[in-house]
């Protein structure tokens, strides 16, 4: 709906394309930035770092929408945007960069807590639910804009803009997105409680499997000379205790 809202707000087709391209660029760059952040928090505070990034990414969405729909100036008429294209492009790029980090966080969380033999199934179910529910967002925006804010289709002429109808569409988008993001934010808050326990449990299981595998590969009389606990930890794990930084130990 962003392209429709921009054109209703008196941006031309070309200006709308530039602004939305900036948003797409920011969202694409967000994957790289969120990956770097996840690498950083995985070393410092692995239990609460990923959920915190997700909370931040969700929380910044509503202020950005308020900035777009209610604060930034709009063109006075079609094609009279002046320097607004640069302003909107920069803010849309920042919006895409900061508000699109949850996808990478979800993949990180799944990789940490889901057993490897069922990862593909869990990820597929997650994508099914996410896209299934996401399809209702457009329907909700259309219904709220039309039924609650009285969107007037006849006021939108071909080749012209309609700022008042753009305002109504913006209100509908703001209500639906804010409600959906509130639900997402709440889910990620509860992730602070469940993710640390699930992550540590999976670390214990992986280390036990690695120790069992290493013991099975030993041959000869030396295989049973020492307990499993005396074997070195699996490569890269540094032991379970070392995998949990000081800030997470109680």
């Amino acid at each position: 709906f962003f392209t429709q809202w921009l054109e209703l707000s008196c941006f031309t087709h070309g200006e709308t394309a530039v602004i939305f391209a900036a948003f797409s660029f920011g969202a694409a760059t967000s994957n790289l930035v969120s990956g770097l952040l996840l690498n950083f928090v995985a070393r410092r505070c692995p239990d609460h770092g990923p959920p915190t990034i997700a909370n931040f990414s969700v929380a910044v969405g509503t202020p950005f929408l308020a900035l777009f729909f209610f604060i930034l100036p709009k063109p006075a008429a079609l094609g009279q945007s002046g320097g607004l294209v640069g302003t909107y492009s920069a803010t849309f790029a920042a919006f895409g960069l900061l508000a699109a980090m949850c996808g990478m966080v979800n993949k990180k969380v799944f990789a940490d807590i889901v057993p490897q033999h069922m990862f593909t199934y869990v990820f597929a179910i997650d994508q099914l639910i996410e896209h299934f529910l996401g399809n209702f967002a457009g329907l909700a925006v259309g219904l709220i804009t039309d039924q609650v804010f009285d969107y007037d289709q006849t006021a939108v002429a071909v080749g012209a803009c309609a700022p008042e109808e753009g305002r109504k569409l913006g209100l509908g988008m703001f209500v639906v997105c804010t409600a959906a993001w509130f639900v997402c934010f709440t889910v990620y808050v509860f992730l602070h409680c469940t993710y640390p326990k699930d992550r540590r449990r999976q670390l214990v299981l992986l280390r036990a499997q690695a120790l069992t595998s290493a013991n099975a590969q030993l041959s000869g009389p030396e295989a049973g000379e020492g307990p499993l606990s005396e074997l070195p930890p699996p490569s890269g794990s540094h032991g379970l205790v070392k995998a949990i930084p000081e800030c997470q130990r109680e």
Side-chain angles (χ1 to χ4, degrees):
F1 289 99
F2 270 120
T3 54
Q4 181 180 355
W5 174 78
L6 287 168
E7 294 190 350
L8 288 174
S9 300
C10 296
F11 287 99
T12 65
H13 298 318
E15 293 168 345
T16 298
V18 170
I19 294 172
F20 199 75
F23 169 76
S24 300
F25 176 78
T29 308
S30 178
N31 293 326
L32 175 61
V33 174
S34 56
L36 294 174
L37 288 175
L38 286 170
N39 286 338
F40 175 77
V41 299
R43 295 190 298 267
R44 297 300 182 91
C45 295
D47 286 343
H48 297 282
T52 300
I53 293 176
N55 285 137
F56 169 79
S57 184
V58 174
V60 299
T62 299
F64 268 107
L65 290 188
L67 181 66
F68 299 147
F69 298 144
F70 310 126
I71 299 177
L72 289 179
K74 312 297 187 295
L78 186 64
Q80 299 182 9
S81 58
L84 292 178
V85 174
T87 301
Y88 273 82
S89 296
T91 52
F92 266 78
F95 175 52
L97 175 65
L98 299 177
M101 296 183 176
C102 293
M104 292 299 294
V105 173
N106 293 343
K107 294 179 176 64
K108 161 67 175 173
V109 171
F110 283 144
D112 286 344
I113 69 176
V114 177
Q116 295 181 0
H117 68 277
M118 59 186 303
F119 181 83
T120 54
Y121 301 101
V122 173
F123 185 75
I125 293 174
D126 168 74
Q127 292 297 297
L128 174 65
I129 296 175
E130 181 178 339
H131 290 288
F132 176 76
L133 296 178
N135 289 331
F136 288 98
L139 177 62
V141 171
L143 289 175
I144 291 177
T145 302
D146 187 40
Q147 301 297 325
V148 177
F149 299 114
D150 298 322
Y151 182 82
D152 186 7
Q153 298 182 12
T154 61
V156 183
V158 177
C161 58
E164 180 59 24
E165 306 314 308
R167 184 188 67 84
K168 296 175 182 178
L169 178 59
L171 287 171
M173 294 171 63
F174 184 81
V175 170
V176 172
C177 290
T178 300
W181 287 338
F182 176 79
V183 175
C184 292
F185 186 87
T186 303
V187 171
Y188 285 120
V189 166
F190 282 106
L191 194 63
H192 285 276
C193 301
T194 61
Y195 174 66
K197 298 177 183 178
D198 294 338
R199 190 187 72 86
R200 296 182 187 188
R201 184 184 301 114
Q202 189 64 13
L203 279 175
V204 172
L205 293 175
L206 290 174
R207 184 169 187 264
Q209 293 173 1
L211 291 173
T212 302
S213 176
N215 184 66
Q217 294 177 3
L218 295 177
S219 59
E222 297 179 355
E225 289 182 357
L228 287 176
S229 59
E230 295 180 2
L231 292 174
S235 176
S237 67
H238 303 294
L240 175 60
V241 175
K242 291 184 179 180
I244 304 175
E246 293 293 337
C247 64
Q248 300 301 325
R249 299 182 199 169
E250 297 180 358

